[in-house]
Amino acid sequence: MTLESSDTEFAATHAPYAAEGTLYPGREGSPLLEFAAGGRVLYLFDRSGPYAARPGPARFVIHGLLDPAGTWRLEEDKAHEEQLEILGVSAVTGRGRVLSVGRQIWAVQARVPLVLGSVGSLPSARPGDWVAFRTLPPLHGFVPPLP
């Protein structure tokens, strides 16, 4: 099971869910990008090539692979708040509102938009539902095409 057919197709498909933030200058040869968005600094595995984005204002589709043990739909009758916490070098845990549901992929707003995928089945959810999630490292960063 694959979640993407190519990096450019994945970035184009999920471009509406790109996060806006600041890309910091990177170390030559490092595959990790330092991207600040939503009050957090995320380390993203560069999926678009070493020179696809320049330091400064930037947009990235942030893609994480869900950890099934840390992912579930939240109760509808309770108030929820967006949360996003960093785990280790390049993983996150949080709570957010589902923006869209695709084949084994959720787009979730949790301080920043995230595209969260699973190689197994996802808990039943529809747009507007709230979910709790945990990703496995690393988070991937895709530069979306220009609008």
Side-chain angles (χ1 to χ4, degrees), residues 1-3 65-68 102-106 116-123 136:
M1 171 65 207
T2 61
L3 297 174
L65 186 62
L66 290 167
D67 178 351
R103 186 179 60 89
Q104 295 181 277
I105 289 184
W106 290 336
L116 304 173
S118 175
V119 292
S121 62
L122 288 168
L136 300 169

Side-chain angles (χ1 to χ4, degrees), residues 65-122:
L65 186 62
L66 290 167
D67 178 351
T71 303
W72 62 89
R73 190 168 57 85
L74 297 170
E75 295 179 38
E76 292 180 30
D77 60 343
K78 295 192 176 180
H80 300 291
E81 186 176 314
E82 292 180 21
Q83 297 177 352
L84 188 66
E85 300 300 326
I86 308 300
L87 294 176
V89 173
S90 185
V92 293
T93 185
R95 292 177 181 213
R97 186 175 46 84
V98 176
L99 302 172
S100 74
V101 176
R103 186 179 60 89
Q104 295 181 277
I105 289 184
W106 290 336
V108 174
Q109 176 64 38
R111 297 183 64 96
V112 296
L114 302 165
V115 177
L116 304 173
S118 175
V119 292
S121 62
L122 288 168

Side-chain angles (χ1 to χ4, degrees), residues 12-100:
T13 299
H14 301 290
Y17 307 110
E20 295 188 17
T22 302
L23 178 64
Y24 291 103
R27 206 174 190 166
E28 186 69 29
S30 173
L32 291 180
L33 302 169
E34 189 174 8
F35 181 63
R40 304 288 184 263
V41 176
L42 304 169
Y43 288 90
L44 309 176
F45 183 72
D46 185 0
R47 294 295 306 276
S48 297
Y51 306 107
R54 298 197 181 281
R59 294 177 67 234
F60 280 95
V61 174
I62 302 169
H63 174 55
L65 186 62
L66 290 167
D67 178 351
T71 303
W72 62 89
R73 190 168 57 85
L74 297 170
E75 295 179 38
E76 292 180 30
D77 60 343
K78 295 192 176 180
H80 300 291
E81 186 176 314
E82 292 180 21
Q83 297 177 352
L84 188 66
E85 300 300 326
I86 308 300
L87 294 176
V89 173
S90 185
V92 293
T93 185
R95 292 177 181 213
R97 186 175 46 84
V98 176
L99 302 172
S100 74

